[in-house]
């Protein structure tokens, strides 16, 4: 079986841990096993002085198409949700070192919201950010209902996280979700270079600066929990099941 998540510490970029989404045949949709591997990598970074920054990258044209809808359908049909997704969200919030993302192409659902937890996001000009939560009869997750309006203001956060409007890379940059827009050829190099630059800084000062800028973790965790209660209930609703079945039938 191929590794759907590849975790490495590239020798060309000391201090950088790379988490690569590698399920291109499914546009890097995240399965429970993928969340588990990513959580382990984030937690390992906290405990490893040799890792100073973590970078998320996808594959050509796909950052991530979001949660695997087959997994959502399994829950809608009566299966358990598992702890993998929520554990990953907690690990994102509890990450003690900077997170950088390089987005090329599709960034859907958690493929968009995970960038709210990143400190620097570089996106290619062909990227598209979209969270069709309500269209799938779901609600926002990953504390996007809290961090989204803070970053973007109410109107743009509503357009993105409730109305499910697609944002181009430039829209996302203007909204404050993305730091820089570049070409598809450049995005990985720039994300890794930004990470390497951070990795060379005094780590303790960087950690404190980041904590001050991000604010208290507890309120983000509390919002994740509140969203998750609604999300789990919505997953089992008839309208969500119909939406997942429609996607799987296409
Ligand atoms: N879950 C499961 N499978 C997914 C997926 C997802 N979130 N996103 C894409 N895939 C699969 C498709 O089913 C397809 O599989 P197949 O080749 O076995 O049929 C494969 O990935 C390629 O996707 P496809 O839809 O053919 O590519 P596209 O370029 O036409 O469209 C998307 C790409 C991402 C726009 C479209 O796949 C999509 O809307 N996906 C769902 C996104 C979503 O709603 N995510 C959840 C957010 S909460």
């Amino acid at each position: 079986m191929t590794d759907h998540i590849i975790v490495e510490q590239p020798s060309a970029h000391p201090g950088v841990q790379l988490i690569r989404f590698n399920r291109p045949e499914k546009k890097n949709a995240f399965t429970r096993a993928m969340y588990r591997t990513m959580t382990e990598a984030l937690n390992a970074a906290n405990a490893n002085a040799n890792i100073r920054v973590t970078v998320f990258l996808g594959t050509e044209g796909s950052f991530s198409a979001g949660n695997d809808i087959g997994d959502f359908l399994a829950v809608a049909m009566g299966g358990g949700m598992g702890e993998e997704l929520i554990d990953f969200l907690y690990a994102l919030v509890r990450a003690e070192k900077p997170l950088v993302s390089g987005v090329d192409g599709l960034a859907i659902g958690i493929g968009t919201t995970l960038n709210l937890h990143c400190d620097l996001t570089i996106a290619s000009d062909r990227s598209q950010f979209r969270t069709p939560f309500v269209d799938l009869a779901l609600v926002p997750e990953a504390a996007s209902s809290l961090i989204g309006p803070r970053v973007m203001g109410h109107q743009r956060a509503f357009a993105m996280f409730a109305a499910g409007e697609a944002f181009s890379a430039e829209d996302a940059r203007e909204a404050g979700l993305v730091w820089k827009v570049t070409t598809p050829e450049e995005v990985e190099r720039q994300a890794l270079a930004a990470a390497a630059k951070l990795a060379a800084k005094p780590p303790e000062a960087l950690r404190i600066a980041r904590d001050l800028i991000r604010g208290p973790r507890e309120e983000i965790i509390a919002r994740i929990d509140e969203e998750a209660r609604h999300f789990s209930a919505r997953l089992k609703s008839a309208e969500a099941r119909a939406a997942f079945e429609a996607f799987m039938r296409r």
Side-chain angles (χ1 to χ4, degrees), residues 161-173:
F161 301 111
E165 294 289 338
F167 280 45
S168 66
E170 193 50 42
D171 294 338
R173 192 192 62 76

Side-chain angles (χ1 to χ4, degrees), residues 1-127:
M1 197 183 119
T2 26
D3 283 336
H4 288 157
I5 297 290
I6 300 171
V7 180
E8 56 179 325
Q9 292 176 46
S11 54
H13 300 287
V16 174
Q17 166 172 263
L18 171 59
I19 298 181
R20 185 181 293 280
F21 318 144
N22 183 43
R23 197 188 176 207
E25 69 284 4
K26 297 288 183 187
K27 310 281 180 189
N28 296 331
F30 295 148
T31 60
R32 292 168 61 171
M34 290 165 77
Y35 288 126
R36 197 177 314 121
T37 305
M38 293 193 284
T39 300
E40 284 165 8
L42 287 172
N43 291 341
N46 290 342
N48 183 346
N50 294 324
I51 298 175
R52 295 184 168 194
V53 181
T54 291
V55 179
F56 294 104
L57 294 175
T59 49
E60 201 187 332
S62 297
F63 185 63
S64 171
N67 201 97
D68 190 289
I69 292 186
D71 283 0
F72 277 166
L73 182 59
V75 180
M77 309 263 292
M81 176 77 184
E83 297 300 312
E84 292 87 352
L85 170 56
I86 196 107
D87 284 349
F88 174 63
L89 299 180
Y90 290 158
L92 275 178
V93 178
R94 293 184 175 133
E96 291 169 14
K97 303 178 185 176
L99 303 177
V100 172
S101 53
V103 176
D104 175 35
L106 293 165
I108 318 255
I110 194 167
T112 284
T113 57
L114 104 73
N115 298 293
L116 291 169
H117 298 272
C118 291
D119 303 293
L120 298 174
T121 293
I122 295 172
S124 73
D125 48 20
R126 66 176 173 182
S127 298

